[in-house]
Amino acid sequence: MVRLLKISLYLFSILSFSQSKLDGFLKPADTLNKSRLKSIVILESSVVAISLVGLNQLWYSDFKHSKFHTVNDNNEWLQMDKMGHVLASYQMGRVGAEILNWGGASRKSQLIYGSSLGFGFLTAVEVFDGYSKEWGFSWGDVMANATGTGLYVGQELLWNEQRIQLKFSFHQTQFASLNPDKLGKGYFEQILKDYNGQTYWLSINLHDFFRESRLPKWLNFAVGYSATGMLRGVEDIDNNLLRKTDRARQFFISLDVNLNKIRTESRFLKTVFSLLNVIKVPFPALELSKHGCAFHLLYF
């Protein structure tokens, strides 16, 4: 028994020491850390380069190429694809700025270089689309990318914090099986392709707007947007099913949890919470659409 206790204490001390070292590593630098900054530049450049090369080889190589051309796809998918661009640009910019903050970069550098990471990467992907016969360069997508970046930068300039966050949730729908080539053949593919199951949220921290209130700092009010009944980009009769799907916009009112507001001294947990904060926490929700109102006991 005594030996087991000693072993337990020994393992606990090792874990505590490891946790302490990890927390020290994850703690943002107070001043510019050139070693960290160099690592950030190398890592981000490598990730972006590998991602773009991978997309070109694994995705675009399967489709015919064409001369650079533009398309106007603003009326497709009830703008759900544009919401995806806004979210991606916002979240990539947020992470880019936080990484530079970890390296001790100035606030100005975080806003100029870090927050523009999403816009720059997604614009490069848009150029690839421009040379693909299947798609095309979309100015609507570029505007959506700029909107996501602007939402992050604007709040930092106005409040020096993110009081309004963009979040995401997903559930599987019946529509993916009706057109798996467009909407995905498996769960993870459907997360990206099945717009019917996606919901994009503006998650607003209540305490940030009412500092004197006793509202929990982690409590958010969330407004969501989604759409349903879509088998393809534009409304059309499905020739295989010989029926027309009922496309509709959906709006949601719900609550959410701001994981960044959960108090903890662990830098590791703070990092995990920051990464997970892109996902909207399931809560009861009120749905509004052309079909009327509906209450969901737990919506995700």
Side-chain angles (χ1 to χ4, degrees), residues 39-237:
S39 300
I40 290 170
V41 172
I42 294 175
L43 179 62
E44 288 189 350
S45 300
S46 300
V47 170
V48 169
I50 292 173
S51 298
L52 292 177
V53 171
L55 276 173
N56 187 54
Q57 295 297 320
L58 300 177
W59 182 264
Y60 291 99
S61 61
D62 294 335
F63 300 94
K64 292 182 179 180
H65 292 269
S66 68
K67 292 183 178 180
F68 184 83
H69 64 288
T70 63
V71 294
N72 184 351
D73 59 354
N74 294 334
N75 66 333
E76 294 187 4
W77 299 111
L78 295 179
Q79 294 75 54
M80 284 295 291
D81 58 325
K82 299 297 180 282
M83 292 300 299
H85 279 267
V86 176
L87 174 81
S89 182
Y90 172 85
Q91 290 294 345
M92 290 179 68
R94 177 182 69 87
V95 172
E98 289 182 356
I99 290 176
L100 283 181
N101 180 54
W102 173 76
S106 66
R107 184 167 175 270
K108 181 178 179 181
S109 295
Q110 293 174 37
L111 293 180
I112 294 177
Y113 303 110
S115 61
S116 61
L117 175 64
F119 180 80
F121 177 80
L122 293 172
T123 300
V125 174
E126 202 62 40
V127 173
F128 282 179
D129 283 351
Y131 287 100
S132 175
K133 190 175 181 179
E134 180 78 8
W135 296 283
F137 184 95
S138 168
W139 283 109
D141 288 351
V142 174
M143 289 300 298
N145 298 338
T147 300
T149 300
L151 180 62
Y152 179 85
V153 174
Q155 291 188 82
E156 289 296 319
L157 294 176
L158 182 61
W159 297 314
N160 199 29
E161 61 183 352
Q162 296 296 298
R163 296 185 179 184
I164 304 173
Q165 299 169 324
L166 270 174
K167 293 193 176 186
F168 174 83
S169 66
F170 175 80
H171 62 272
Q172 286 185 295
T173 72
Q174 60 179 328
F175 301 103
S177 61
L178 300 178
N179 192 1
D181 290 337
K182 283 287 186 181
L183 304 180
K185 298 178 181 179
Y187 181 80
F188 292 103
E189 190 175 349
Q190 290 167 13
I191 291 178
L192 298 175
K193 291 185 175 183
D194 186 5
Y195 295 118
N196 301 281
Q198 299 175 358
T199 306
Y200 296 93
W201 300 87
L202 282 176
S203 187
I204 306 164
N205 189 258
L206 298 174
H207 187 271
D208 284 343
F209 286 98
F210 304 99
R211 299 286 190 183
E212 303 302 322
S213 70
R214 295 185 178 181
L215 291 168
K217 293 183 178 181
W218 49 263
L219 182 63
N220 280 20
F221 175 76
V223 179
Y225 174 69
S226 185
T228 186
M230 302 178 293
L231 296 182
R232 51 185 51 82
V234 294
E235 188 171 16
D236 193 11
I237 296 177

Side-chain angles (χ1 to χ4, degrees), residues 87 91 94 166-168 273-280:
L87 174 81
Q91 290 294 345
R94 177 182 69 87
L166 270 174
K167 293 193 176 186
F168 174 83
F273 289 158
S274 178
L275 294 175
L276 292 178
N277 213 35
V278 66
I279 301 173
K280 197 267 184 191

